[in-house]
Short mmCIF file of all heavy atoms in Angstrom, two decimals:
data_model
loop_
_atom_site.label_atom_id
_atom_site.label_comp_id
_atom_site.label_asym_id
_atom_site.label_seq_id
_atom_site.Cartn_x
_atom_site.Cartn_y
_atom_site.Cartn_z
N ILE A 19 121.82 125.31 85.04
CA ILE A 19 123.30 125.57 85.23
C ILE A 19 124.10 125.45 83.92
O ILE A 19 125.08 126.21 83.76
CB ILE A 19 123.75 124.53 86.20
CG1 ILE A 19 123.08 124.85 87.60
CG2 ILE A 19 125.23 124.57 86.29
CD1 ILE A 19 123.38 123.73 88.59
N ARG A 20 123.60 124.73 83.04
CA ARG A 20 124.38 124.63 81.73
C ARG A 20 124.40 125.85 81.02
O ARG A 20 125.40 126.32 80.37
CB ARG A 20 123.60 123.56 80.86
CG ARG A 20 124.12 123.58 79.37
CD ARG A 20 123.11 122.60 78.55
NE ARG A 20 121.79 123.22 78.64
CZ ARG A 20 120.67 122.57 78.30
NH1 ARG A 20 120.69 121.18 78.05
NH2 ARG A 20 119.52 123.17 78.37
N SER A 21 123.32 126.72 81.17
CA SER A 21 123.27 127.99 80.53
C SER A 21 124.00 129.08 81.45
O SER A 21 124.53 130.18 80.96
CB SER A 21 121.91 128.52 80.31
OG SER A 21 121.30 127.62 79.35
N ALA A 22 123.98 128.92 82.78
CA ALA A 22 124.49 129.89 83.69
C ALA A 22 125.97 129.87 83.80
O ALA A 22 126.60 130.93 83.96
CB ALA A 22 123.80 129.76 85.01
N ILE A 23 126.57 128.72 83.84
CA ILE A 23 128.00 128.58 84.15
C ILE A 23 128.82 128.16 82.89
O ILE A 23 128.37 127.02 82.36
CB ILE A 23 128.36 127.70 85.20
CG1 ILE A 23 127.53 128.05 86.55
CG2 ILE A 23 129.78 127.55 85.59
CD1 ILE A 23 127.63 127.12 87.73
N PRO A 24 129.66 128.81 82.36
CA PRO A 24 130.33 128.45 81.19
C PRO A 24 131.26 127.26 81.35
O PRO A 24 131.59 127.02 82.51
CB PRO A 24 131.14 129.70 80.70
CG PRO A 24 131.35 130.47 81.99
CD PRO A 24 130.13 130.19 82.79
N THR A 25 131.68 126.64 80.35
CA THR A 25 132.56 125.53 80.40
C THR A 25 133.99 126.02 80.85
O THR A 25 134.45 127.01 80.59
CB THR A 25 132.82 124.80 79.09
OG1 THR A 25 131.48 124.50 78.53
CG2 THR A 25 133.70 123.59 79.14
N ARG A 26 134.50 125.13 81.82
CA ARG A 26 135.85 125.43 82.47
C ARG A 26 136.85 125.45 81.40
O ARG A 26 136.99 124.69 80.44
CB ARG A 26 136.23 124.51 83.57
CG ARG A 26 137.59 124.73 84.18
CD ARG A 26 137.96 123.88 85.29
NE ARG A 26 139.23 124.08 85.83
CZ ARG A 26 140.26 123.43 85.54
NH1 ARG A 26 140.28 122.37 84.63
NH2 ARG A 26 141.47 123.67 86.01
N HIS A 27 137.87 126.41 81.57
CA HIS A 27 139.01 126.54 80.68
C HIS A 27 140.30 126.65 81.52
O HIS A 27 140.43 127.63 82.10
CB HIS A 27 138.93 127.60 79.68
CG HIS A 27 139.80 127.47 78.46
ND1 HIS A 27 141.12 127.68 78.45
CD2 HIS A 27 139.36 127.13 77.22
CE1 HIS A 27 141.50 127.44 77.15
NE2 HIS A 27 140.57 127.16 76.37
N ALA A 28 141.12 125.64 81.55
CA ALA A 28 142.17 125.58 82.53
C ALA A 28 143.16 126.68 82.22
O ALA A 28 143.80 127.26 83.18
CB ALA A 28 142.94 124.24 82.47
N ARG A 29 143.43 126.98 81.04
CA ARG A 29 144.42 128.01 80.68
C ARG A 29 143.93 129.42 81.17
O ARG A 29 144.82 130.21 81.68
CB ARG A 29 144.68 128.13 79.19
CG ARG A 29 145.80 129.01 78.74
CD ARG A 29 146.16 128.88 77.33
NE ARG A 29 145.08 128.98 76.43
CZ ARG A 29 145.05 128.56 75.12
NH1 ARG A 29 146.25 128.07 74.64
NH2 ARG A 29 144.05 128.66 74.43
N ALA A 30 142.66 129.71 81.21
CA ALA A 30 142.19 130.96 81.76
C ALA A 30 142.49 131.08 83.19
O ALA A 30 142.72 132.08 83.91
CB ALA A 30 140.74 131.12 81.37
N GLU A 31 142.16 129.97 83.91
CA GLU A 31 142.46 129.88 85.42
C GLU A 31 143.81 130.04 85.65
O GLU A 31 144.21 130.75 86.61
CB GLU A 31 141.86 128.58 85.94
CG GLU A 31 140.45 128.43 86.22
CD GLU A 31 140.01 127.25 86.86
OE1 GLU A 31 140.81 126.43 87.35
OE2 GLU A 31 138.78 127.05 87.05
N ARG A 32 144.79 129.21 84.97
CA ARG A 32 146.12 129.38 85.23
C ARG A 32 146.60 130.81 84.96
O ARG A 32 147.50 131.25 85.71
CB ARG A 32 146.88 128.37 84.26
CG ARG A 32 148.31 128.26 84.60
CD ARG A 32 148.98 127.01 83.89
NE ARG A 32 148.74 127.01 82.52
CZ ARG A 32 147.81 126.18 81.87
NH1 ARG A 32 147.11 125.37 82.53
NH2 ARG A 32 147.65 126.23 80.50
N ALA A 33 146.31 131.49 83.95
CA ALA A 33 146.75 132.87 83.64
C ALA A 33 146.27 133.72 84.75
O ALA A 33 147.03 134.75 85.10
CB ALA A 33 146.15 133.24 82.24
N ARG A 34 145.12 133.51 85.31
CA ARG A 34 144.48 134.36 86.42
C ARG A 34 145.46 134.30 87.62
O ARG A 34 145.76 135.29 88.31
CB ARG A 34 143.15 134.07 86.67
CG ARG A 34 142.54 135.01 87.67
CD ARG A 34 141.02 134.72 87.86
NE ARG A 34 140.48 135.80 88.80
CZ ARG A 34 140.06 137.05 88.48
NH1 ARG A 34 140.14 137.32 87.15
NH2 ARG A 34 139.68 137.81 89.36
N LYS A 35 145.84 133.00 87.94
CA LYS A 35 146.58 132.74 89.06
C LYS A 35 148.12 133.36 88.91
O LYS A 35 148.57 133.74 89.99
CB LYS A 35 146.67 131.17 89.41
CG LYS A 35 145.33 130.69 89.87
CD LYS A 35 145.43 129.25 90.16
CE LYS A 35 144.06 128.65 90.55
NZ LYS A 35 144.04 127.18 90.71
N GLU A 36 148.47 133.30 87.77
CA GLU A 36 149.92 133.73 87.56
C GLU A 36 150.03 135.28 87.54
O GLU A 36 151.03 135.79 87.92
CB GLU A 36 150.48 133.19 86.23
CG GLU A 36 150.71 131.61 86.21
CD GLU A 36 151.02 131.14 84.95
OE1 GLU A 36 151.02 131.91 83.90
OE2 GLU A 36 151.33 129.89 84.83
N ASN A 37 149.01 135.86 87.07
CA ASN A 37 148.92 137.34 86.95
C ASN A 37 147.49 137.89 87.44
O ASN A 37 146.69 137.90 86.52
CB ASN A 37 149.27 137.72 85.55
CG ASN A 37 149.43 139.29 85.40
OD1 ASN A 37 149.57 139.99 86.38
ND2 ASN A 37 149.38 139.72 84.17
N MET A 38 147.40 138.22 88.60
CA MET A 38 146.04 138.69 89.10
C MET A 38 145.60 139.99 88.46
O MET A 38 146.44 140.95 88.42
CB MET A 38 146.16 138.85 90.61
CG MET A 38 144.82 139.19 91.24
SD MET A 38 143.57 137.90 91.02
CE MET A 38 144.36 136.47 91.98
N PRO A 39 144.50 139.98 87.89
CA PRO A 39 144.11 141.17 87.08
C PRO A 39 143.93 142.33 88.10
O PRO A 39 143.66 142.17 89.27
CB PRO A 39 142.68 140.79 86.56
CG PRO A 39 142.66 139.32 86.52
CD PRO A 39 143.52 138.90 87.71
N PRO A 40 144.04 143.55 87.65
CA PRO A 40 143.76 144.85 88.42
C PRO A 40 142.32 144.98 88.73
O PRO A 40 141.46 144.29 88.37
CB PRO A 40 144.27 145.95 87.53
CG PRO A 40 144.08 145.40 86.08
CD PRO A 40 144.30 143.93 86.20
N THR A 41 142.06 145.93 89.67
CA THR A 41 140.66 146.16 90.08
C THR A 41 139.99 146.87 89.03
O THR A 41 140.58 147.33 88.09
CB THR A 41 140.60 146.97 91.41
OG1 THR A 41 141.28 148.29 91.09
CG2 THR A 41 141.39 146.32 92.52
N TRP A 42 138.68 147.13 89.21
CA TRP A 42 137.88 147.73 88.22
C TRP A 42 138.39 149.16 88.03
O TRP A 42 138.45 149.68 86.86
CB TRP A 42 136.39 147.80 88.53
CG TRP A 42 135.51 148.34 87.44
CD1 TRP A 42 135.05 147.68 86.30
CD2 TRP A 42 135.07 149.62 87.38
NE1 TRP A 42 134.29 148.51 85.57
CE2 TRP A 42 134.21 149.82 86.24
CE3 TRP A 42 135.11 150.82 88.22
CZ2 TRP A 42 133.62 150.90 85.86
CZ3 TRP A 42 134.39 151.95 87.82
CH2 TRP A 42 133.67 152.06 86.63
N GLU A 43 138.74 149.93 89.15
CA GLU A 43 139.09 151.25 89.02
C GLU A 43 140.47 151.43 88.34
O GLU A 43 140.72 152.29 87.58
CB GLU A 43 139.22 151.94 90.42
CG GLU A 43 137.88 152.19 91.08
CD GLU A 43 137.42 150.92 91.70
OE1 GLU A 43 137.94 149.88 91.69
OE2 GLU A 43 136.10 151.15 92.24
N GLU A 44 141.30 150.32 88.56
CA GLU A 44 142.64 150.42 87.85
C GLU A 44 142.63 150.03 86.42
O GLU A 44 143.71 150.20 85.71
CB GLU A 44 143.58 149.39 88.70
CG GLU A 44 143.86 149.92 89.98
CD GLU A 44 144.56 148.73 90.81
OE1 GLU A 44 144.60 147.48 90.32
OE2 GLU A 44 145.18 149.02 91.85
N LEU A 45 141.53 149.42 85.94
CA LEU A 45 141.42 149.03 84.54
C LEU A 45 141.44 150.27 83.55
O LEU A 45 141.69 150.01 82.41
CB LEU A 45 140.20 148.12 84.27
CG LEU A 45 140.28 146.70 84.86
CD1 LEU A 45 138.93 145.98 84.75
CD2 LEU A 45 141.36 145.91 84.16
N GLY A 46 141.08 151.34 84.08
CA GLY A 46 141.03 152.51 83.23
C GLY A 46 141.08 153.76 84.06
O GLY A 46 140.65 153.79 85.23
N LYS A 47 141.41 154.80 83.47
CA LYS A 47 141.59 156.10 84.12
C LYS A 47 140.12 156.79 84.11
O LYS A 47 139.54 157.05 83.05
CB LYS A 47 142.45 157.07 83.42
CG LYS A 47 142.60 158.41 84.10
CD LYS A 47 143.68 159.23 83.40
CE LYS A 47 143.89 160.61 84.20
NZ LYS A 47 144.87 161.51 83.40
N LEU A 48 139.57 157.01 85.36
CA LEU A 48 138.21 157.52 85.52
C LEU A 48 138.24 159.00 85.30
O LEU A 48 139.16 159.79 85.75
CB LEU A 48 137.63 157.18 86.93
CG LEU A 48 137.45 155.72 87.14
CD1 LEU A 48 137.07 155.52 88.52
CD2 LEU A 48 136.53 155.17 86.19
N ALA A 49 137.22 159.51 84.65
CA ALA A 49 137.07 161.05 84.51
C ALA A 49 136.73 161.66 85.79
O ALA A 49 136.09 160.93 86.64
CB ALA A 49 136.05 161.27 83.32
N THR A 50 137.14 162.85 86.05
CA THR A 50 136.87 163.55 87.25
C THR A 50 135.44 163.92 87.42
O THR A 50 134.86 163.94 88.53
CB THR A 50 137.79 164.75 87.36
OG1 THR A 50 137.54 165.63 86.26
CG2 THR A 50 139.24 164.33 87.43
N GLU A 51 134.75 164.28 86.27
CA GLU A 51 133.31 164.59 86.35
C GLU A 51 132.39 163.53 86.33
O GLU A 51 132.72 162.51 85.67
CB GLU A 51 133.02 165.68 85.30
CG GLU A 51 133.07 165.16 83.81
CD GLU A 51 134.50 165.17 83.24
OE1 GLU A 51 135.39 165.46 84.02
OE2 GLU A 51 134.66 164.69 82.03
N ASP A 52 131.23 163.68 86.98
CA ASP A 52 130.26 162.62 86.92
C ASP A 52 129.50 162.54 85.52
O ASP A 52 129.48 163.51 84.89
CB ASP A 52 129.26 162.88 88.00
CG ASP A 52 129.81 162.67 89.45
OD1 ASP A 52 130.85 161.83 89.47
OD2 ASP A 52 129.31 163.22 90.36
N PRO A 53 129.04 161.46 85.17
CA PRO A 53 128.22 161.41 83.84
C PRO A 53 127.07 162.22 83.91
O PRO A 53 126.51 162.45 84.98
CB PRO A 53 127.84 159.81 83.79
CG PRO A 53 128.86 159.14 84.80
CD PRO A 53 129.18 160.12 85.80
N ASP A 54 126.77 162.69 82.78
CA ASP A 54 125.54 163.62 82.63
C ASP A 54 124.27 162.85 82.86
O ASP A 54 123.90 161.94 81.99
CB ASP A 54 125.58 164.38 81.40
CG ASP A 54 124.39 165.34 81.25
OD1 ASP A 54 123.83 165.64 82.26
OD2 ASP A 54 124.18 165.83 80.17
N LEU A 55 123.43 162.97 83.85
CA LEU A 55 122.24 162.22 84.13
C LEU A 55 120.96 163.15 84.01
O LEU A 55 119.88 162.90 84.24
CB LEU A 55 122.16 161.72 85.53
CG LEU A 55 123.32 160.75 85.82
CD1 LEU A 55 123.17 160.15 87.25
CD2 LEU A 55 123.20 159.38 84.84
N SER A 56 121.23 164.34 83.31
CA SER A 56 120.12 165.40 83.24
C SER A 56 118.98 164.88 82.31
O SER A 56 117.86 165.33 82.51
CB SER A 56 120.65 166.67 82.74
OG SER A 56 121.29 166.56 81.48
N ALA A 57 119.34 163.97 81.35
CA ALA A 57 118.24 163.62 80.45
C ALA A 57 117.17 162.80 81.23
O ALA A 57 115.90 162.84 80.75
CB ALA A 57 118.87 162.70 79.31
N TRP A 58 117.50 162.26 82.34
CA TRP A 58 116.42 161.56 83.11
C TRP A 58 115.31 162.41 83.62
O TRP A 58 114.31 162.02 83.93
CB TRP A 58 117.02 160.69 84.20
CG TRP A 58 117.90 159.53 83.73
CD1 TRP A 58 119.21 159.50 83.55
CD2 TRP A 58 117.34 158.18 83.42
NE1 TRP A 58 119.55 158.26 83.04
CE2 TRP A 58 118.52 157.50 82.87
CE3 TRP A 58 116.13 157.50 83.25
CZ2 TRP A 58 118.31 156.07 82.49
CZ3 TRP A 58 116.08 156.29 82.88
CH2 TRP A 58 117.07 155.54 82.39
N GLY A 59 115.69 163.70 83.78
CA GLY A 59 114.72 164.61 84.29
C GLY A 59 113.57 164.92 83.43
O GLY A 59 112.54 165.60 83.78
N ASN A 60 113.71 164.45 82.13
CA ASN A 60 112.63 164.75 81.08
C ASN A 60 111.45 163.76 81.34
O ASN A 60 110.44 163.87 80.67
CB ASN A 60 113.11 164.49 79.72
CG ASN A 60 114.16 165.65 79.40
OD1 ASN A 60 114.01 166.82 79.84
ND2 ASN A 60 115.10 165.31 78.52
N TYR A 61 111.67 162.80 82.22
CA TYR A 61 110.66 161.74 82.50
C TYR A 61 110.13 161.96 83.93
O TYR A 61 110.80 162.41 84.82
CB TYR A 61 111.25 160.30 82.41
CG TYR A 61 111.72 160.06 81.07
CD1 TYR A 61 113.05 160.48 80.66
CD2 TYR A 61 110.99 159.38 80.18
CE1 TYR A 61 113.46 160.23 79.35
CE2 TYR A 61 111.36 159.09 78.87
CZ TYR A 61 112.70 159.52 78.44
OH TYR A 61 113.04 159.30 77.27
N VAL A 62 108.80 161.74 84.04
CA VAL A 62 108.13 162.01 85.30
C VAL A 62 108.65 161.08 86.35
O VAL A 62 108.77 159.77 86.20
CB VAL A 62 106.62 161.58 85.07
CG1 VAL A 62 105.87 161.90 86.48
CG2 VAL A 62 106.00 162.45 84.08
N PHE A 63 109.13 161.75 87.50
CA PHE A 63 109.88 161.04 88.55
C PHE A 63 111.18 160.46 88.15
O PHE A 63 111.74 159.66 88.95
CB PHE A 63 108.95 159.92 89.25
CG PHE A 63 107.53 160.43 89.69
CD1 PHE A 63 106.38 159.93 89.15
CD2 PHE A 63 107.55 161.40 90.66
CE1 PHE A 63 105.17 160.44 89.54
CE2 PHE A 63 106.22 161.97 91.16
CZ PHE A 63 105.10 161.39 90.58
N GLY A 64 111.68 160.90 87.03
CA GLY A 64 112.98 160.36 86.59
C GLY A 64 114.19 160.73 87.51
O GLY A 64 115.00 159.84 87.81
#
């Protein structure tokens, strides 16, 4: 657990409660096109 859970920091918790962060989608403008996954086709069963 010492490696898994970082030490608590009260200021980080307080800042989060005062100003709830946006969702993952709201953190950045998503491109309309999907990422290019064609390179995986060069591998067998990719």
Side-chain angles (χ1 to χ4, degrees):
I19 292 170
R20 174 189 59 200
S21 298
I23 304 177
T25 305
R26 175 180 179 260
H27 203 284
R29 186 165 56 191
E31 281 188 5
R32 187 166 55 251
R34 184 178 186 84
K35 292 178 181 178
E36 294 173 354
N37 186 17
M38 186 61 65
T41 64
W42 186 82
E43 288 82 2
E44 295 171 344
L45 287 171
K47 184 177 180 181
L48 296 177
T50 55
E51 66 277 2
D52 290 333
D54 183 13
L55 301 176
S56 60
W58 292 96
N60 295 327
Y61 297 84
V62 181
F63 304 118

